[in-house]
Amino acid sequence: MDRARPSAGSRYDAVDSGNRRDSFQSGYSPQTADFRTAGSRNAGYSNDSYSRQPDAIEPVKGGRDEEAGTGPGWDVYADFNNAGPRYSAAFGVPGLKNDTGYRPLSRPDTLGSKSKKGGTSTTYEPEVELVTVPAMGAEWSKQELKDMKKSGRAEIKAEKRKRAWNAFVRDEEGLLGLTLYFVIPRVPNFGFAYGTPLVANGGPTPYFNRYPANFSFTGGVDLQADTHSSYIPVHFRNITAELYSADTFKLVATGSTGALTMPAKSYVPLPLNMTFSYTAVNTSDETWNLYYNACQNKIAVVGGERPGLNVRLILKMQIAGLIGSYGAATLLSNVPCPIQLPLNSG
């Protein structure tokens, strides 16, 4: 048969009809019946602590532990009053090697001061024993004291800058590669500014000799540099040019610019002065004959059209910020000679 559930405000005495007890209370034990039958308002486990009252009743300090049965209750102040049980046997246990940490007083009668009660008996009021603990070290270490000085703070800042620089150089933060992408110059592309690659530059009078066979004159190569691939100006230490005959593979002209700077993201004209010079054994040399026929006076040629030259142009560059030298080359076919010899030449 189901029993009726008591209401929240119901109360039952410890001795009821049929010896019914308060089964709805948590922590219930028959040993606690004397607290309730005696009319004690023990707020630890009494009915009053579970009923709705305007003023809550605080638990009794030092109450009994009903779950453990009879005996002394749990004293929460025992640890602070040195009255509780010693849970650690690490110190003070005779016969162990590590019993040096706890030093009790040698005689029990020295634990307190003697006092007479009633004039006949002597009792001892125990004092608090002391446990040997390691001494505390210095409040600040030598390094901490040094770091608090101006020189120490300067060293810390210098060390931080050094670590940041090493991380940047090693590209640990990913910034070096991004920076180098914009600050490293690019090798520009080269082309010819106008339709005539070889031009006259108004130098000294050219000459061709037969005995010994040689020629010498000046001219120019009309180049144009494209620096759109570079984000910063391109600084050249030097640009040298060599002109070879594409038919005989003989060097016929050289030139250089010296140091110069080109702006970024632009087309830069680059007129390059060249000195043509060649020496052969006699006039039967193929290279000498090719240049003599291409550079002779137009009046001496039937129809006024001189044969062209096949040349190979090679550029070599040294650029600041880049290791080593860089080059470019192109092959030109049927290029007009930049000069015209006098009629009485050769």
Side-chain angles (χ1 to χ4, degrees), residues 250-297:
K250 297 293 183 66
L251 178 65
V252 295
T254 58
S256 64
T257 62
L260 58 90
T261 301
M262 295 183 182
K265 305 291 183 182
S266 60
Y267 293 102
V268 182
L270 182 63
L272 187 59
N273 293 326
M274 304 290 291
T275 299
F276 290 79
S277 178
Y278 181 76
T279 302
V281 177
N282 51 49
T283 55
S284 63
D285 185 84
E286 184 180 0
T287 303
W288 188 89
N289 279 282
L290 287 173
Y291 276 80
Y292 180 80
N293 295 328
C295 298
Q296 63 181 323
N297 197 291

Side-chain angles (χ1 to χ4, degrees), residues 171-215:
D171 201 15
E172 295 177 357
E173 303 295 336
L175 298 177
L176 179 60
L178 182 61
T179 304
L180 294 179
Y181 178 81
F182 292 100
V183 301
I184 291 181
R186 270 73 165 177
V187 179
N189 298 320
F190 290 91
F192 294 100
Y194 303 99
T196 305
L198 300 180
V199 295
N201 61 359
T205 302
Y207 66 88
F208 275 74
N209 295 327
R210 293 181 180 271
Y211 304 102
N214 63 80
F215 61 82

